[in-house]
Amino acid sequence: MDKEKFIISKFENKFIGDDGAVVGNYVYSKDIFLENTHFKRGWLSDYEIGKKAMLINISDIIVMNAVPKYVLLGLMIPRNMEFAKIIELKKGIKEVCDKFGVVIIGGDTVGSNLLGISVSVIGFSKKAIFRNAMKKGEILAFTGNLGSSLKGLRALQNGGKIGKNSRFRNIILRDKFFYKASKFINSAMDISDGLASDLPKFIRDKNIKFLKNLSKFEFLSGEEYEILFSFNKKHKFRIINEAKRARINLKIFGETTYGKYKKRARSWHF
Amino acid sequence: MDKEKFIISKFENKFIGDDGAVVGNYVYSKDIFLENTHFKRGWLSDYEIGKKAMLINISDIIVMNAVPKYVLLGLMIPRNMEFAKIIELKKGIKEVCDKFGVVIIGGDTVGSNLLGISVSVIGFSKKAIFRNAMKKGEILAFTGNLGSSLKGLRALQNGGKIGKNSRFRNIILRDKFFYKASKFINSAMDISDGLASDLPKFIRDKNIKFLKNLSKFEFLSGEEYEILFSFNKKHKFRIINEAKRARINLKIFGETTYGKYKKRARSWHF
């Protein structure tokens, strides 16, 4: 058992285990984005770090079918970080907040050895979508394309460089598609650790059959923040239609049925 | 300008600058409690670290006159931290949650070089009390006694030891007194950085006269999490009465009036 699972097991209650916690019409999410754990400072500019920290949190709210409203911002700022770099970081954070109409209502700033951003997002949802509401005979799909983020990460880990448009730098959230398609969607989560690690969390004790082969990179790439979701077969063409309208790719790859799903890789968190 | 002030100035809006952010009847607070910034691991047991991280956050909610309800818990866990120590940390966190009837609804756990706890608390208030609602001719007071926490800290910094009952280890929140007295209180905040640093934030551009002398330790001690508050003169005996009932000390030390207040020490955050 890894430490994250161990800790989650110690705090278990009905709210925990989804991308966000639902209390009435409010949805709350929290993520920590930490230097040397989630990024290295040479890999991303401070502006990109600010952007990414916000986007991965807002992603959690969107996949719960909630609209992000407010943010509590916790900043761990290295003592030697120059003011100009702090302004860059802030620019990335602010840009995402403005794009999604999110207001920063409070937070905390502490001196630290490492750069870190702890974000809590407060969203509002009329009808939340959970990650484990899936039934038998449902179709599994994900938005966009998986693989490129991991390729970028591998290049960086090997001392290489990645382009300005690399998915590792640029997270594209699928909010427009998802909100529109949400009435046909039964379960959803964002793919943040890679399908190999996230799919078992999504299907839990259910079985699936694969309708399409997925590449190793599609399985392991973890930071596109694409949406993994399921829907009733009868809505297949509606879902495809909404994806077309939103001009995004869709990969329909599985169906909940018989046959045991095997986890193909270990998570690489701790 | 220090980095914390600089960052706050960059994000300024009507919600920011109090212990918690008020949205409707909800009050949100967030604090990061970080190794080597706020504590050293040798100074407190993991159990005490867990307790303190929770109490300093719940304190922010209480001084807004709100009741803490839910918590989002962000844990930065050193990769070499043993499971037994994680259980101790969890015990401290859980004990405080149970005492205040607070439910942990979600969070994030990440591997880190440093132990850190980022807590967001969601509270509910019928009538929030802010830190800057004070008028001229109001009385200033704080709960309990100030000084002992800094004495504990100094002892630890000099390689000494502190007892089990040291205020540095044990934060005592004044929730019962404060909720009871709240209808007579106009402004409040918790003293978390020391009166020398917090008093200017509290009175802002107002002037005060001191009714009593305060010692250097009373000015500089920052971690008792006692409550600094103000009230109309006419409620003085009601306030004293509520303090007696709750069996806590009260130090009535100032009055908003003429005469410029001078900040007596620099904050030692960054």
Side-chain angles (χ1 to χ4, degrees), chain B residues 43-270:
Chain B
W43 291 358
L44 296 171
S45 71
D46 295 293
Y47 164 75
E48 286 169 335
I49 291 167
K51 257 179 81 170
K52 195 161 181 173
M54 289 308 305
L55 285 168
I56 64 178
N57 272 281
I58 286 176
S59 171
D60 284 328
I61 295 290
I62 289 170
V63 296
M64 302 291 299
N65 196 30
V67 178
K69 293 282 186 190
Y70 303 106
V71 160
L72 296 167
L73 185 64
L75 295 174
M76 288 163 267
I77 301 288
R79 290 176 186 80
N80 61 1
M81 189 173 180
E82 298 101 15
F83 279 41
K85 283 181 172 294
I86 296 175
I87 290 176
E88 282 302 302
L89 182 75
K90 177 247 160 189
K91 212 179 117 190
I93 293 170
K94 205 66 184 3
E95 193 176 293
V96 174
C97 288
D98 291 347
K99 189 184 167 192
F100 287 90
V102 171
V103 181
I104 297 168
I105 58 171
D108 193 17
T109 302
V110 304
S112 168
N113 299 328
L114 297 170
L115 179 60
I117 306 175
S118 164
V119 182
S120 300
V121 187
I122 300 155
F124 186 85
S125 176
K126 280 186 191 153
K127 192 177 170 297
I129 292 177
F130 297 87
R131 58 165 72 166
N132 294 123
M134 198 190 317
K135 295 180 197 80
K136 218 178 92 173
E138 274 185 40
I139 301 287
L140 294 168
F142 59 81
T143 58
N145 300 302
L146 298 175
S148 57
S149 178
L150 182 60
K151 283 176 192 161
L153 177 64
R154 291 273 165 90
L156 289 166
Q157 283 171 330
N158 293 326
K161 288 191 174 177
I162 55 172
K164 279 220 159 186
N165 296 323
S166 162
R167 282 299 299 276
F168 187 79
R169 292 185 193 278
N170 299 283
I171 292 172
I172 301 160
L173 299 184
R174 310 302 187 181
D175 48 308
K176 282 185 191 71
F177 160 74
F178 192 74
Y179 292 145
K180 284 267 187 194
S182 64
K183 56 175 172 283
F184 310 119
I185 292 174
N186 286 339
S187 323
M189 70 181 285
D190 63 2
I191 304 168
S192 56
D193 293 335
L195 210 49
S197 166
D198 289 330
L199 191 53
K201 296 177 203 162
F202 191 58
I203 59 170
R204 279 214 269 198
D205 52 353
K206 287 157 209 90
N207 301 316
I208 66 167
K209 86 169 173 215
F210 284 90
L211 304 173
K212 272 185 191 155
N213 283 327
L214 298 175
S215 73
K216 187 183 138 200
F217 270 96
E218 284 180 301
F219 255 107
L220 293 177
S221 190
E223 293 195 59
E224 286 89 0
Y225 289 81
E226 294 293 355
I227 304 177
L228 173 62
F229 65 101
S230 78
F231 53 89
N232 190 303
K233 278 177 187 176
K234 70 182 177 197
H235 296 313
K236 190 171 164 183
F237 290 101
R238 286 192 181 95
I239 293 283
I240 290 171
N241 232 355
E242 290 298 348
K244 270 186 194 153
R245 277 195 202 174
R247 298 184 190 189
I248 62 165
N249 277 329
L250 198 68
K251 185 138 190 175
I252 291 174
F253 70 93
E255 190 182 326
T256 51
T257 174
Y258 305 102
K260 197 90 180 161
Y261 168 75
K262 284 207 179 70
K263 201 176 167 183
R264 306 213 174 171
R266 294 192 54 226
S267 67
W268 53 80
H269 237 49
F270 264 95

Side-chain angles (χ1 to χ4, degrees), chain A residues 33-35 38-57 73 75 81 84-97 115-117 119 152 156 161-172 223 225:
Chain A
F33 192 55
L34 193 62
E35 184 178 347
H38 301 103
F39 63 90
K40 291 196 185 296
R41 286 184 70 193
W43 292 358
L44 295 172
S45 71
D46 295 292
Y47 164 75
E48 287 169 335
I49 290 167
K51 258 179 82 167
K52 196 161 180 172
M54 290 308 305
L55 286 168
I56 65 179
N57 272 282
L73 185 64
L75 295 175
M81 190 171 180
K85 284 181 173 293
I86 297 174
I87 289 177
E88 282 303 302
L89 182 75
K90 175 249 162 189
K91 211 179 118 190
I93 292 170
K94 205 66 185 359
E95 192 176 294
V96 174
C97 287
L115 179 60
I117 307 175
V119 182
L156 289 166
K161 289 194 172 172
I162 56 171
K164 278 220 158 186
N165 296 320
S166 162
R167 282 302 298 275
F168 186 79
R169 292 186 191 277
N170 299 283
I171 292 171
I172 302 161
E223 292 195 60
Y225 289 82

